[in-house]
Amino acid sequence: MKKYNVAVVGATGAVGNEMIKMLEERDFPVANLRLLASSRSAGKKLKYKGQDVPVEELNKDSFKGMEIALFSAGASISKEYAPVAAREGVFVIDNSSAWRMDKDVPLVVPEVNPHHLKKDKKIIANPNCSTIQMVVVLKPIHDAARIKRVVVSTYQAVSGAGHKAMVELAEQVKSLADGKPAECKVFPYQIAYNVIPHIDIFLENDYTKEEMKMVHETKKIMGDDSIQLTATTVRVPVMRGHSESVNIETEKHLSAADARKMLAQAPGVILVDDPANKKYPLAIDCEGKIDTFVGRVRQDESISNGLNVWIVSDNLLKGAAWNAVQIAEELIKQKIV
Ligand code: 25A
Ligand code: L14
């Protein structure tokens, strides 16, 4: 089997770290692995398959001889360096929001739109974490009953905001237990023992950017602009795993029982739905897993064709690192790379 030269940009971050682990766990056909980050991390060593791999400082020559590059170092780095890599013929799978809505860039969730990958589209965007886990569940429902409108509220883990945010939650919990005040550097307010209805920046329409990403990205991935969606995105004091309450209105009637049957067979989805035995998806159970978990499947009794579901997935894996590596696997499967 052919092996590929793979670069990870932002290798020392919360997502980058999981990308390296994912390549290892999936036994991805790596010939050479190049780890890139800022000058702060240059010289540091990270483990890959038991070996020490040095972290190099990212520069314009970093992509020579590479074939696939996984980016997770923020939008400004992606804006600057993804075109540099693409010009070298490298397939860039970018986890930032920089390229997602560019009409020449495929925005891909392999269970939903693998056909959007193309040989001449060197930059590929990895969608927003909250959107990814939602669309793997929406896709089979849309195919069966045609979705008209979605109302979603998210309960997002702090790891979505990176490594520093996880440290902040842990330190706040400790400070408060010691009777000391909680220090806020990453989040605008104390996140320990709190819930903050604000992720990413506020826009002119008073929605946050995170909320509008869910609106626009869902339509692009599903390839259907007619799907109406409204979102409220909320930060909760959970380390890993985003949860979502999703209300779905469909054109055709779909019973909760039929929806459950379909979801149990949907790719990448695991149904955990047994209320009598208190079984439903929990963030703490999904940590470290690549699947998307769905439960609490119910009829929306206030309208004629509606469902309510509860969706949970590890935001650092299906929401970021796994979806990126899965796209790379798909490029190989489709003989694109
Ligand atoms: O710009 P955005 O889009 O708003 O994104 C902001 C951040 O969100 C995270 C990610 O943070 C990103 O930087 N992120 C983005 N998408 C995400 C998603 N879908 C997401 N998180 C979750 N889900 P992160 O901390 O996880 O990762 C940051 C990585 O990017 C590298 N990086 C930063 N600037 C770079 C760069 N790489 C190349 N060139 C640059 N100019 C960064 O590497 C990390 O790998 P690093 O070397 O800067 O950081 C290594 C470690 O150093 C610590 N650290 C970070 N900042 C400082 C610091 N130490 C001291 N002083 C600092 N100012 C951290 O512990 C880090 O792990
Ligand atoms: O991928 O939880 O657009 O703060 C960046 C920040 C996802 C979540 C993205 C967060 C996000 C995120």
Side-chain angles (χ1 to χ4, degrees), residues 10-15 37-38 40-41 58 72-75 77 95 159-160 162-164:
T12 52
V15 173
S38 76
R40 282 190 294 274
S41 298
L58 175 66
S72 191
I77 295 295
N95 192 48
S159 52
H163 178 74
K164 305 169 292 308

Side-chain angles (χ1 to χ4, degrees), residues 230-279:
T230 186
T232 304
T233 57
V234 181
R235 187 79 65 192
V236 295
V238 167
M239 280 296 176
R240 268 174 89 148
H242 290 355
S243 303
E244 301 177 337
S245 163
V246 187
N247 176 261
I248 306 157
E249 185 177 358
T250 54
E251 214 160 270
K252 283 203 274 177
H253 185 78
L254 187 61
S255 72
D258 284 345
R260 255 183 231 116
K261 251 184 252 158
M262 245 168 39
L263 291 170
Q265 284 163 23
V269 175
I270 294 185
L271 180 75
V272 183
D273 197 13
D274 183 5
N277 290 303
K278 295 187 225 153
K279 293 274 194 271

Side-chain angles (χ1 to χ4, degrees), residues 8-17 36-42 44 46 55-59 71-78 80-81 95-98 100 126-130 132 157-167 200 209 213 242 315-316 319-321:
V8 177
V9 180
T12 52
V15 173
N17 195 40
L36 302 158
S38 76
S39 56
R40 282 190 294 274
S41 298
K44 212 168 148 181
L46 297 175
V55 177
E56 302 168 50
E57 181 175 357
L58 175 66
N59 65 52
F71 275 60
S72 191
S76 53
I77 295 295
S78 295
E80 186 177 350
Y81 287 93
N95 192 48
S96 83
S97 58
R100 288 177 189 156
N126 210 40
N128 166 269
C129 37
S130 303
I132 295 177
V158 295
S159 52
H163 178 74
K164 305 169 292 308
M166 299 169 83
V167 173
D200 210 330
K209 196 170 166 197
K213 282 183 235 172
H242 290 355
N315 55 302
L316 296 183

